[in-house]
Amino acid sequence: MKHWLYLLVGIFSPTLAASELPLNMTQGVTEISNQVYDLHMTILLICCVIGLIVFGLMFYSMLNHRKSKGAVPAQFHESTKVEIIWTLIPFLILVGMAVPATSTLIAMEDTSDADITVMVTGSQWKWHYKYFNEEIEFFSILSTPRDQIDNKAPKDANYLLEVDKPLVLPINKKVRFLVTSEDVIHSWWVPAFAVKKDANPGFINEAWTKIDKPGTYRGQCAELCGKDHGFMPIVVEAMPEAEFDAWIAGQKQAATEAAAQAEASLSQTLTMDELMAQGEQVYMARCAACHQPNGAGLPGVFPGLLKSPIIQGPVGDHLDIVINGKPGTAMQAFAKQLTAQEIAAVVTYERNAWGNDTGDVVQAADVSNFEK
Ligand SMILES: [Cu+2]
């Protein structure tokens, strides 16, 4: 009952809908999103007025000129006057709607004079962000724990809308997005910015935003892109410029440290237990979506890894497919996505988990030697 009331009030009183009710489109936090919102309200209002006039006239005529009251129909077949009127009025209404809509669309497309450029690349099923001129790039991956997805734990507030590393952006700066894909069509959608852009393999689409308010904004992939389409959310942290600069500096520092650590890992020898523990983590986060947590795969789509020929065969072949992927299939090259240490761990894990028991131990140095 309550919802019907909302709907009625929502339809007939746009201004009320704007301020109070959860049913309406949200206003967002950018100038463009506000323009889009205003357009939506204007056109909703036009539709409401037309609806009221048309239905009002209809009901009025039906009630007051009904046959039982002795009404005699007027005869105006093929009246040029009427035909001109009912062509002209809708035409004028359409033009009246097209003018503001077009100017907003043109503003949306204008990516010139951007302060920052971020390349957004979709792949099955994660986003990758690369800041131009900053040498910062990273993957942003769903961080909702598997237990919540499998209904084994209560779902938290941002269920399926949380990631390990959000995209960080400064407010009050024009940010240009270059949107593309590694495999199938995805779509990068953040409603609060009114940005929704298809990510097409082999093409680069442009979009932009200028965020007014600091905050955390969430979105999703908006193009059905396969099995885990619903598991590649977008999270954007918008912050004042000074904080953003500090974040950039922190990222660079972290990158230097990670490089040093990667270097150091090449001379480390880990035990089987250490590799298995780390490998399981990497596997669950990066491989289980396709090969399944128990390694069984999905018959016909993703191979099972239990006693698979590659896993039972030479370590080199196993490293090869993980490092270089298999072009033309969903098996991606993980060379740039994982460190040598992580690849060593996940390969060791696959070779010994679920009853594979090959006993093989792969170290970071083996991965790095293989890559050379
Ligand atoms: Cu997608």
Side-chain angles (χ1 to χ4, degrees):
M1 184 61 212
K2 215 164 137 202
H3 282 94
W4 280 108
L5 268 180
Y6 274 171
L7 201 65
L8 280 177
V9 180
I11 288 173
F12 291 111
S13 134
T15 38
L16 221 160
S19 52
E20 318 275 328
L21 302 173
L23 287 174
N24 199 20
M25 183 176 182
T26 53
Q27 247 164 303
V29 290
T30 65
E31 200 188 312
I32 291 282
S33 75
N34 278 287
Q35 281 183 30
V36 169
Y37 175 84
D38 290 342
L39 256 180
H40 158 75
M41 294 319 285
T42 312
I43 288 174
L44 181 64
L45 187 73
I46 295 175
C47 294
C48 291
V49 171
I50 295 176
L52 280 177
I53 293 176
V54 171
F55 281 99
L57 266 176
M58 257 171 64
F59 284 117
Y60 171 80
S61 313
M62 277 155 39
L63 288 172
N64 289 288
H65 302 123
R66 58 184 192 271
K67 198 174 174 189
S68 59
K69 273 196 160 182
V72 179
Q75 297 297 331
F76 47 86
H77 282 288
E78 283 159 44
S79 156
T80 318
K81 209 195 287 167
V82 172
E83 293 205 359
I84 288 178
I85 290 176
W86 74 35
T87 308
L88 205 63
I89 293 180
F91 177 74
L92 291 178
I93 295 175
L94 284 181
V95 171
M97 299 204 287
V99 169
T102 309
S103 72
T104 303
L105 274 178
I106 290 173
M108 272 179 167
E109 293 295 321
D110 176 17
T111 55
S112 59
D113 298 326
D115 300 306
I116 293 182
T117 298
V118 178
M119 179 120 189
V120 177
T121 310
S123 63
Q124 284 173 323
W125 288 281
K126 54 190 171 258
W127 294 101
H128 178 265
Y129 301 113
K130 181 177 170 142
Y131 295 72
F132 275 37
N133 311 327
E134 294 289 0
E135 286 175 27
I136 294 177
E137 56 181 302
F138 53 85
F139 283 91
S140 182
I141 297 168
L142 176 75
S143 62
T144 298
R146 268 218 100 75
D147 277 357
Q148 292 187 19
I149 296 171
D150 296 340
N151 291 326
K152 287 181 192 147
K155 302 183 193 308
D156 62 34
N158 294 314
Y159 177 67
L160 296 188
L161 288 174
E162 50 200 344
V163 297
D164 57 350
K165 284 192 83 174
L167 173 65
V168 176
L169 294 177
I171 56 168
N172 301 327
K173 291 266 171 195
K174 185 163 181 176
V175 183
R176 178 170 66 137
F177 299 112
L178 302 179
V179 185
T180 187
S181 165
E182 290 266 294
D183 38 43
V184 300
I185 306 177
H186 303 268
S187 181
W188 198 80
W189 178 38
V190 180
F193 304 163
V195 171
K196 186 196 245 178
K197 208 55 158 177
D198 271 10
N200 298 332
F203 288 87
I204 293 178
N205 281 336
E206 285 184 287
W208 69 274
T209 193
K210 191 170 176 187
I211 308 161
D212 296 338
K213 263 196 281 185
T216 304
Y217 304 108
R218 296 173 200 274
Q220 281 166 304
C221 176
E223 184 71 60
L224 191 52
C225 60
K227 173 178 156 289
D228 281 2
H229 162 61
F231 297 72
M232 52 183 296
I234 296 155
V235 180
V236 180
E237 287 300 342
M239 48 182 65
E241 199 185 353
E243 269 175 59
F244 175 75
D245 291 343
W247 179 82
I248 290 272
Q251 289 299 300
K252 289 189 171 156
Q253 174 82 20
T256 322
E257 280 163 18
Q261 210 181 9
E263 191 62 39
S265 77
L266 297 184
S267 52
Q268 277 169 359
T269 305
L270 299 189
T271 65
M272 174 73 116
D273 286 347
E274 288 167 328
L275 287 162
M276 287 298 279
Q278 194 194 354
E280 180 170 13
Q281 274 181 3
V282 176
Y283 183 85
M284 290 305 168
R286 310 302 298 272
C287 323
C290 297
H291 296 291
Q292 302 303 299
N294 60 1
L298 286 181
V301 193
F302 305 121
L305 299 177
L306 220 80
K307 312 269 180 211
S308 97
I310 289 199
I311 294 209
Q312 304 226 298
V315 174
D317 292 349
H318 194 170
L319 283 175
D320 184 39
I321 195 162
V322 179
I323 289 170
N324 301 317
K326 185 143 177 194
T329 76
M331 183 60 201
Q332 318 157 7
F334 282 93
K336 292 214 179 86
Q337 305 191 27
L338 300 174
T339 63
Q341 180 61 63
E342 286 169 327
I343 293 178
V346 79
V347 168
T348 304
Y349 178 74
E350 287 182 343
R351 295 183 85 78
N352 295 285
W354 324 297
N356 274 335
D357 300 325
T358 59
D360 296 331
V361 171
V362 183
Q363 303 289 348
D366 301 330
V367 175
S368 141
N369 289 337
F370 181 86
E371 282 176 330
K372 284 178 203 141

